[in-house]
Amino acid sequence: MKDLEKQIDSKQNLVVSSRKNYRAGRIIIDEHAHKKHQIIIPRSGSIQVIASDHGTYMATSGQGFFIKAHQNHHAIYSGVISVDNLYLSPQVCDLLPDTFVFEITSLLSALAERLCKKLHWDKLTKELSSLCYLLCEEIKNHHQPASFLPRPNNTQLLAITTSIENNVQYMSSIKDIAKKLNMSERHFRRFFQAECKMSFSAWLTRLKIMLAKEMLAGTLPISEIALELGFEEFGSFSRFFKKNIGVTPAQWRNNYLREV
């Protein structure tokens, strides 16, 4: 691990790649940052990346993360994880938004595979420049904002949203939440929209979907996942998930969490 970290931060290595496999379960990677941009491509399981100043991002197979150099973040790996990592020196990769999730297209997969064939690239050749340019363009063109849960700046609202994230099953009504902030429901909805750039109901839906995906990567029965998310019955959870994702929780577990 220390040798890999030296390779990542080495100025001589313009691009460094690695593939890691983790046992089944839930693994927390402590907060850190790299001197290079990082691209994370999950092959199986689900990964959350929590960027300290922005919010939470989630990806499963078919998606990936771009994390800008020097961006503090930590990660949560769920399920049986196989993941590819690419670390690109800023001099070979155009500047992109700090952190975001993108779709893995056929072209992007081929570009990443070519870059990963070498453990590290130490010369700025025409091939490397072309590969990195195409990679960055493909990533930018397939940005997926819906895989992001924003973080409010207001400290009181941040405490409330953090509490909801940790105990969504027992969350209070909007009326009670607004009361804690000495606001009317109408004022709270406007305040939340201004802080998070999305409505509270949209934020809550996205939170439940992200939590559901994380739990589906594990072994908990779907009926218990429904209860953990505050649904009174399995059917209502299944309909909610399919409405927002397009497939049932069972189909998601079978088709989107295995290695590709």
Side-chain angles (χ1 to χ4, degrees):
M1 181 64 73
K2 289 184 178 180
D3 290 340
L4 176 60
E5 290 175 355
K6 287 180 181 178
Q7 287 182 0
I8 293 168
D9 291 334
S10 171
K11 293 181 180 180
Q12 284 72 36
N13 294 330
L14 298 176
V15 177
V16 178
S17 67
S18 71
R19 173 168 288 185
K20 295 182 180 179
N21 297 294
Y22 296 89
R23 60 179 174 77
R26 191 171 190 267
I27 299 170
I28 298 176
I29 308 297
D30 292 338
E31 186 172 77
H32 62 286
H34 294 293
K35 295 178 182 178
K36 290 180 171 62
H37 302 316
Q38 182 180 12
I39 292 173
I40 303 175
I41 302 176
R43 300 290 180 181
S44 67
S46 75
I47 298 178
Q48 292 182 65
V49 168
I50 298 90
S52 303
D53 300 327
H54 302 284
T56 302
Y57 304 78
M58 170 169 273
T60 56
S61 60
Q63 298 176 307
F65 298 96
F66 174 86
I67 304 173
K68 192 174 180 179
H70 306 291
Q71 169 70 65
N72 288 331
H73 64 282
H74 67 276
I76 300 173
Y77 291 6
S78 301
V80 180
I81 293 290
S82 176
V83 58
D84 287 343
N85 288 283
L86 271 173
Y87 303 90
L88 295 86
S89 171
Q91 74 183 89
V92 299
C93 181
D94 290 338
L95 293 180
L96 297 168
D98 288 337
T99 301
F100 64 92
V101 175
F102 55 86
E103 177 190 356
I104 303 291
T105 63
S106 297
L107 175 57
L108 201 151
S109 181
L111 292 167
E113 192 69 28
R114 178 68 189 96
L115 285 166
C116 287
K117 281 188 175 180
K118 286 187 180 182
L119 292 179
H120 58 85
W121 300 65
D122 55 7
K123 291 182 180 179
L124 188 56
T125 62
K126 287 184 179 180
E127 180 188 13
L128 179 58
S129 295
S130 298
L131 287 170
C132 290
Y133 173 79
L134 289 171
L135 185 77
C136 290
E137 287 301 305
E138 191 72 358
I139 286 172
K140 285 190 288 187
N141 290 335
H142 292 85
H143 183 190
Q144 294 190 323
S147 296
F148 170 61
L149 190 72
R151 175 189 179 101
N153 291 316
N154 179 273
T155 53
Q156 286 182 294
L157 186 56
L158 176 60
I160 288 171
T161 55
T162 300
S163 176
I164 294 172
E165 289 178 37
N166 294 330
N167 301 281
V168 68
Q169 180 182 6
Y170 303 107
M171 67 165 286
S172 304
S173 65
I174 294 181
K175 182 178 180 180
D176 290 337
I177 293 171
K179 189 175 181 180
K180 289 179 182 178
L181 294 171
N182 296 315
M183 297 178 182
S184 65
E185 287 186 50
R186 185 178 182 185
H187 187 191
F188 169 74
R189 290 180 188 277
R190 289 179 174 178
F191 177 60
F192 192 95
Q193 178 76 45
E195 280 285 316
C196 295
K197 313 305 179 192
M198 64 191 305
S199 69
F200 178 73
S201 60
W203 181 91
L204 184 61
T205 294
R206 195 173 290 183
L207 169 65
K208 288 186 176 183
I209 290 296
M210 292 173 72
L211 290 174
K213 287 180 177 178
E214 180 188 4
M215 287 187 276
L216 286 167
T219 58
L220 196 67
I222 296 176
S223 57
E224 291 187 33
I225 292 175
L227 294 175
E228 288 287 331
L229 294 174
F231 292 90
E232 293 183 358
E233 59 179 8
F234 167 78
S236 57
F237 168 57
S238 186
R239 289 190 294 273
F240 165 83
F241 193 90
K242 186 172 183 179
K243 178 182 177 181
N244 287 279
I245 301 301
V247 295
T248 66
Q251 290 171 326
W252 177 269
R253 173 172 271 174
N254 292 333
N255 298 329
Y256 290 86
L257 296 172
R258 61 188 181 187
E259 187 168 355
V260 296

